[in-house]
Amino acid sequence: MNDVVDLATEGAVAVITVNSPPVNALSANVRTGIAEAVQKAGEDAAVKAIVLHCAGRTFIAGADITEFGKPPKGVPLSEVNALLEGSAKPVVAAIHGTALGGGLEVALSCHYRVAVPSAKLGLPEVKLGLVPGAGGTQRLPRLVGVERALEVICFGEPMSAKEAAETGLVDAVTGADSLRADAVAFATRLVAENAPLAKVRDRSEKLAVDRGVFAAFRKANARRFRGFEAPEACIQCVEAAVDKPFDEGLKFERETIMRLIPGVQSRAQRYVFFAERQANKIPDVPDDTPTRKIARVGVIGAGTMGGGISMNFASAGIPVTIVEMKQEALDRGLSVIRKNYENTAKRGRITEADVEARMGRLTGSLDLSALADCDLVIEAVFENMAIKKEVFGKLDAIVKQGAILASNTSYLNVDEIAAATARPEDVIGLHFFSPANVMKLLEIVRGEKTAKDVVATAMKLAKTIGKVGVLVGVCHGFVGNRMLAQRQREANKLILEGAMPWDVDRVLYDFGLPMGPFAMSDLAGLDIGWSRETSKGETPRELLCEMDRRGQKTGAGFYDYDEKRNATPSPITETIILDLAAKKGINRREISDEEILQRCIYPMINEGAKILEEGKAIRASDIDTVWVNGYGWPVYRGGPMFYGDTVGLPEVLRVMQEFEGRHGADFKPSALLEKLVAEGKGFKDL
Ligand code: NAD
């Protein structure tokens, strides 16, 4: 047909093969090729049935999202689907790999579907802030039922071939290695049996549901969908499938996606999708940079972080040696790891055998020399430069040459740590986030002397253990914590100036963050970095700690907690804050939600600009990737830098200048922010 779609015949069956590497995405060429092939097969009297299948590693894996927002070219997908469904000869989709998004919508427009056992089928559009736009929301419920369709469409998670067969999404599961032959045989049988043209659009038996399912679904998932527009839009489309005739439902779906595509949420979600991929590109470390083999990992410290870090490797099949100072600490660390794995097994996500296999990959030791043969050692001891230097000095003498020596430090200078060794080129920061076995982000801190192959190895390793790696430079707190400090400082000032902790938390929660700074402090423990001996009673936090209100673990912190850890604003905290403000001579005033938001967020954007200016992050989208994956920044707002562009940098600068006049140097605009505004540009233009 054309260079990406081929048409051949096998007996009475026409086989359309899409061959557009890497994933057979629905580019204009693919769509036009399929349309032409269906037409041609339709006109060929010798052809009695059609099989649509794909070469390479997968069935059509989705739309070509690089086409979004560009003028349409080629045959629209809706027309391709109408041609397939309208074909007078039965069409069988033969599925392997991942039939996702537009790919599944094509398959749903065929009369029958067969799939290999390993195939996955899904509609992930919601993850890009969209609804499926080519009939997916109308056809899927007709096959799998309304309730399951709601989940598949609103969560965006794929279905296995087995489930697809059970629910009626596919008509047969083929042999693992005989998809094409089995699909042709299936089509041949259809012809022999004179099977009807099973059009999904004509089926309505599974649409007869109690309307209560929609309300129940909304209620059950309110938390999960909080702030997002697309899941609600998806629900409405499925409602339309139930309420309206098929063509009207399709029209409603089309109108919905056309409304969502230019919206800020979908733009943000698509931006995040590309930003995470872009973060893997390091300008001076090409993709073909050789990497070092990491077959055995050492972790020093079995505390909060060391345990979680070790789990990542054990789960990925890499053996780990954990070194502690005392047997008791080691035993405690290992038992926490076991408990975590057992909880995962209880939830059915791994088997008991997996728990034992993973635990079997962990070896404890009290002797650093047990790390001699490791390819990578990650230090996760106390956040103290003297201790870290001592540990690295010892490691240098013990660990084999060529190994990577990494620190999980949150703030400390990685170059200074590296200087404690005679091989600073092998030293790098691997900053995991707590809980380290859960959080997706890995800040990879490149020291002044870190070798390129060490950077390349760390970036690759991030993927191996299922993390999103972002390369950052050495500075206090790196990218994430450095920006967080801005927000923390303002939050602390705001509660003395007039707001209450729950006001600040509410505003940031409503913005879409998982929790505000005070709820977060209560969760982490107010006494991190606090000691009774040095406490001066000068901040609300110090005063709370002195009263043994140290957060959730003591039943009280900024908030009061009941046995189920439900928080309520505390009159004690309120009194502490009011008294302290009076003591400091602060005239408390009414503070608007808008001011709270701007005071907390704009200095972060400004700090992000400074980070870019100093070259501590490669690009603005890397900063956003840090915030989305490490701090729960709402994906639908793209990240702080994307948000800055959304607000408009002139507005961010204007507000910063206004605050600078009122509150001083904390709000001094960065040179880059001023320059971008002067040039009429945004972070997106960098
Ligand atoms: P932690 O106190 O829970 O654990 C530290 C462990 O290291 C302790 O079990 C201690 O016994 C052990 N240790 C200390 N010195 C040792 C030595 N010389 N040899 C062997 N073991 C030794 O601390 P943590 O929260 O896990 O933090 C560890 C590091 O990770 C710090 O640098 C911290 O800044 C960083 N970090 C912490 C978090 C967090 O949220 N907790 C997040 C990111 C990074």
Side-chain angles (χ1 to χ4, degrees):
M1 283 296 102
N2 58 23
D3 54 350
V4 291
V5 179
D6 176 63
L7 177 64
T9 48
E10 282 190 32
V13 179
V15 179
I16 302 173
T17 304
V18 179
N19 187 3
S20 180
V23 294
N24 294 312
L26 282 163
S27 62
N29 257 352
V30 169
R31 297 193 303 269
T32 304
I34 297 175
E36 286 173 8
V38 174
Q39 251 157 351
K40 188 138 183 245
E43 287 157 9
D44 184 344
V47 168
K48 304 292 180 211
I50 301 169
V51 165
L52 172 63
H53 105 305
C54 292
R57 62 174 144 107
T58 179
F59 190 75
I60 300 164
D64 184 352
I65 59 177
T66 57
E67 282 185 2
F68 283 173
K70 298 197 185 136
K73 280 195 305 190
V75 182
L77 185 55
S78 54
E79 264 176 46
V80 176
N81 289 346
L83 271 172
L84 286 164
E85 194 164 57
S87 160
K89 301 167 184 179
V91 186
V92 180
I95 299 168
H96 72 299
T98 47
L100 298 178
L104 182 58
E105 291 178 301
V106 166
L108 285 166
S109 305
C110 297
H111 304 111
Y112 297 90
R113 284 148 296 281
V114 297
V116 296
S118 61
K120 298 233 180 296
L121 303 87
L123 294 169
E125 284 84 347
V126 72
K127 294 189 177 174
L128 297 179
L130 298 171
V131 298
T137 64
Q138 306 304 296
R139 290 192 180 93
L140 189 68
R142 287 174 155 83
L143 284 184
V144 307
V146 171
E147 285 171 81
R148 190 65 186 112
L150 278 171
E151 289 169 355
V152 171
I153 296 170
C154 296
F155 301 161
E157 298 301 333
M159 238 191 222
S160 65
K162 180 166 173 279
E163 193 198 342
E166 284 161 10
T167 52
L169 176 53
V170 304
D171 301 284
V173 176
T174 69
D177 301 314
S178 53
L179 175 64
R180 183 183 161 125
D182 290 358
V184 169
F186 186 94
T188 308
R189 226 169 23 249
L190 292 175
V191 176
E193 290 166 4
N194 210 2
L197 284 177
K199 293 186 192 178
V200 177
R201 59 174 289 146
D202 294 339
R203 298 184 48 179
S204 59
E205 66 277 12
K206 290 194 176 172
L207 296 180
V209 289
D210 182 329
R211 294 295 312 221
V213 300
F214 294 107
F217 185 74
R218 283 189 174 95
K219 187 155 176 252
N221 294 289
R223 225 186 140 80
R224 180 170 183 161
F225 298 159
R226 179 174 76 96
F228 285 93
E229 285 168 4
E232 173 57 27
C234 288
I235 298 173
Q236 288 173 10
C237 287
V238 178
E239 279 178 321
V242 171
D243 293 342
K244 297 177 193 282
F246 182 79
D247 288 320
E248 279 181 41
L250 269 190
K251 190 163 159 271
F252 180 81
E253 180 195 76
R254 179 112 292 259
E255 287 163 3
T256 306
I257 189 169
M258 295 317 279
R259 168 169 61 80
L260 293 174
I261 285 176
V264 70
Q265 288 208 352
S266 175
R267 281 195 290 115
Q269 287 177 257
R270 280 177 277 148
Y271 162 87
V272 168
F273 178 86
F274 287 115
E276 283 174 13
R277 277 148 192 80
Q278 179 83 359
N280 288 312
K281 305 259 172 240
I282 317 296
D284 68 330
V285 183
D287 286 348
D288 58 1
T289 305
T291 54
R292 301 188 190 181
K293 189 166 157 253
I294 307 292
R296 168 161 283 284
V297 172
V299 173
I300 313 177
T304 312
M305 295 307 289
I309 292 170
S310 302
M311 288 176 74
N312 287 303
F313 295 99
S315 303
I318 301 174
V320 184
T321 304
I322 310 180
V323 175
E324 254 294 347
M325 289 191 296
K326 295 211 176 93
Q327 188 64 42
E328 197 195 335
L330 185 59
D331 292 345
R332 198 179 332 117
L334 287 169
S335 76
V336 171
I337 294 177
R338 174 172 283 281
K339 208 171 85 211
N340 284 340
Y341 278 141
E342 277 171 359
N343 284 339
T344 312
K346 265 188 217 139
R347 285 198 296 267
R349 297 220 208 112
I350 57 172
T351 63
E352 276 301 330
D354 291 332
V355 175
E356 295 313 320
R358 291 172 188 202
M359 289 308 296
R361 291 187 195 112
L362 300 173
T363 314
S365 175
L366 300 178
D367 185 358
L368 276 181
S369 57
L371 304 176
D373 282 333
C374 290
D375 303 300
L376 162 70
V377 176
I378 305 174
E379 164 277 311
V381 305
F382 304 128
E383 184 78 342
N384 175 304
M385 182 56 95
I387 299 180
K388 301 230 188 229
K389 277 183 167 170
E390 192 194 323
V391 168
F392 272 77
K394 285 185 185 159
L395 283 179
D396 194 20
I398 290 170
V399 184
K400 69 178 179 189
Q401 290 300 316
I404 297 176
L405 307 180
S407 173
N408 180 49
T409 180
S410 306
Y411 294 93
L412 300 176
N413 186 324
V414 173
D415 292 329
E416 201 179 328
I417 296 174
T421 74
R423 38 174 145 164
E425 66 282 1
D426 293 338
V427 176
I428 195 164
L430 291 180
H431 184 208
F432 289 80
F433 286 69
S434 181
N437 53 318
V438 177
M439 297 298 290
K440 295 292 272 183
L441 178 64
L442 181 63
E443 276 187 335
I444 297 174
V445 190
R446 182 183 195 166
E448 202 186 342
K449 298 198 174 141
T450 308
K452 288 185 183 180
D453 67 335
V454 171
V455 171
T457 305
M459 294 300 295
K460 189 172 155 206
L461 189 69
K463 274 196 212 149
T464 307
I465 58 172
K467 302 285 180 206
V468 177
V470 179
L471 193 69
V472 302
V474 175
C475 55
H476 189 72
F478 314 119
V479 167
N481 284 343
R482 176 171 164 180
M483 288 166 70
L484 183 69
Q486 296 286 319
R487 185 185 93 180
Q488 196 62 43
R489 182 196 64 227
E490 287 311 306
N492 288 335
K493 277 157 56 182
L494 282 162
I495 59 171
L496 288 176
E497 286 174 37
M500 279 293 155
W502 28 96
D503 299 324
V504 176
D505 283 352
R506 174 181 45 79
V507 168
L508 290 172
Y509 180 81
D510 288 349
F511 181 75
L513 285 155
M515 65 182 87
F518 299 103
M520 193 160 119
S521 295
D522 274 2
L523 181 64
L526 297 190
D527 53 354
I528 293 183
W530 174 87
S531 75
R532 193 171 286 284
E533 297 72 43
T534 54
S535 189
K536 296 199 193 89
E538 283 177 354
T539 63
R541 179 180 85 117
E542 285 183 334
L543 290 162
L544 289 166
C545 283
E546 285 168 21
M547 294 172 72
D548 257 344
R549 295 178 64 99
R550 300 187 190 192
Q552 287 196 17
K553 61 186 172 189
T554 57
F558 284 100
Y559 295 83
D560 290 331
Y561 293 88
D562 65 15
E563 325 72 63
K564 288 189 180 145
R565 297 206 169 191
N566 292 314
T568 41
S570 165
I572 298 176
T573 303
E574 188 162 346
T575 309
I576 288 177
I577 290 171
L578 294 178
D579 289 352
L580 191 64
K583 208 170 119 195
K584 288 179 184 277
I586 296 169
N587 258 334
R588 286 177 65 85
R589 64 188 167 88
E590 191 78 25
I591 298 184
S592 70
D593 288 357
E594 188 190 28
E595 180 177 341
I596 291 174
L597 189 68
Q598 292 174 337
R599 291 265 302 268
C600 289
I601 304 282
Y602 289 10
M604 284 175 50
I605 299 169
N606 193 50
E607 195 66 24
K610 283 190 199 161
I611 285 169
L612 288 173
E613 235 168 73
E614 296 166 19
K616 302 299 181 192
I618 296 170
R619 40 184 98 78
S621 63
D622 285 3
I623 297 178
D624 287 335
T625 301
V626 163
W627 273 84
V628 166
N629 290 287
Y631 299 83
W633 182 280
V635 183
Y636 57 81
R637 293 192 198 274
M641 310 312 275
F642 183 94
Y643 181 69
D645 277 349
T646 307
V647 171
L649 295 191
E651 171 65 5
V652 175
L653 179 62
R654 185 191 69 72
V655 173
M656 287 294 289
Q657 286 166 338
E658 190 187 313
F659 287 160
E660 188 187 14
R662 223 186 297 157
H663 306 284
D666 287 343
F667 293 93
K668 185 170 169 33
S670 79
L672 179 63
L673 180 60
E674 285 175 338
K675 178 168 168 275
L676 287 173
V677 172
E679 291 172 356
K681 291 182 178 162
F683 294 121
K684 65 180 185 313
D685 303 310
L686 287 174

